[in-house]
């Protein structure tokens, strides 16, 4: 039987940087365990934060991501949109570069991320509030 599930997850405010949220996403959808095969999409409802999948083991990767993104999109450019602070427009650019959603296959009730992969919330603002993500799961139940 085909099943659709959609949940909204409110993540707490996090500091600027890259934060693993895989466990929070999985915990928000207990029905995941009933899926034989399917897909999970995780979509962030904000324009100054993003989502990505990458290394989940070494925390240095998260620090290096922040360093690389700040190098690629410096706050020192002469941005015109500065009404919300000097970190706002660079955050929009970073969010567009990284993306607003990730799509992950499901097999036998488990996300098919690699052994060293996790879902990241990429917080690009210095003082952001909580973030909303919409999790949509579609697939065949066991």
């Amino acid at each position: 039987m085909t099943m659709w599930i959609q949940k909204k997850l409110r993540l707490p405010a996090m500091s600027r940087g890259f934060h693993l949220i895989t466990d929070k996403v999985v915990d928000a959808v207990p029905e995941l365990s009933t899926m034989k095969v399917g897909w999970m999409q995780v979509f962030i409802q904000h324009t100054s934060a993003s989502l990505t999948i990458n290394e989940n083991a070494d925390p240095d990767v998260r620090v290096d991501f922040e360093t690389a993104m700040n190098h690629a999109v410096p706050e020192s450019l002469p941005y015109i949109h500065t009404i919300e602070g000097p970190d706002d427009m660079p955050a929009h650019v970073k969010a567009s570069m990284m993306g607003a959603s990730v799509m992950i296959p499901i097999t036998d009730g488990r996300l098919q991320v690699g052994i060293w992969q996790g879902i990241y919330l990429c917080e690009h603002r210095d003082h952001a509030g909580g973030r909303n993500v919409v999790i949509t799961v579609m697939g065949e139940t066991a």
Side-chain angles (χ1 to χ4, degrees), residues 52-75:
T52 194
I53 295 175
N54 216 292
E55 161 89 40
N56 68 355
D58 185 351
D60 289 346
V61 170
R62 293 171 237 167
V63 174
D64 289 344
F65 253 124
E66 179 67 14
T67 300
M69 289 305 292
N70 289 334
H71 180 75
V73 185
E75 291 182 12

Side-chain angles (χ1 to χ4, degrees), residues 16-109:
R16 181 170 170 162
F18 290 72
H19 307 277
L20 284 169
I21 61 166
T22 312
D23 291 342
K24 288 177 174 58
V25 169
V26 169
D27 290 348
V29 189
E31 301 92 338
L32 182 65
S33 65
T34 68
M35 304 297 287
K36 182 173 174 59
V37 64
W39 291 99
M40 173 186 279
Q41 182 196 40
V42 185
F43 175 81
I44 191 162
Q45 295 182 304
H46 300 275
T47 60
S48 57
S50 57
L51 299 172
T52 194
I53 295 175
N54 216 292
E55 161 89 40
N56 68 355
D58 185 351
D60 289 346
V61 170
R62 293 171 237 167
V63 174
D64 289 344
F65 253 124
E66 179 67 14
T67 300
M69 289 305 292
N70 289 334
H71 180 75
V73 185
E75 291 182 12
S76 61
L77 293 177
Y79 297 106
I80 296 169
H81 174 74
T82 58
I83 194 166
E84 296 177 60
D87 67 329
D88 187 47
M89 191 60 217
H92 292 311
V93 174
K94 292 172 186 176
S96 287
M97 289 172 67
M98 302 285 301
S101 68
V102 293
M103 191 82 150
I104 306 156
I106 300 165
T107 305
D108 295 328

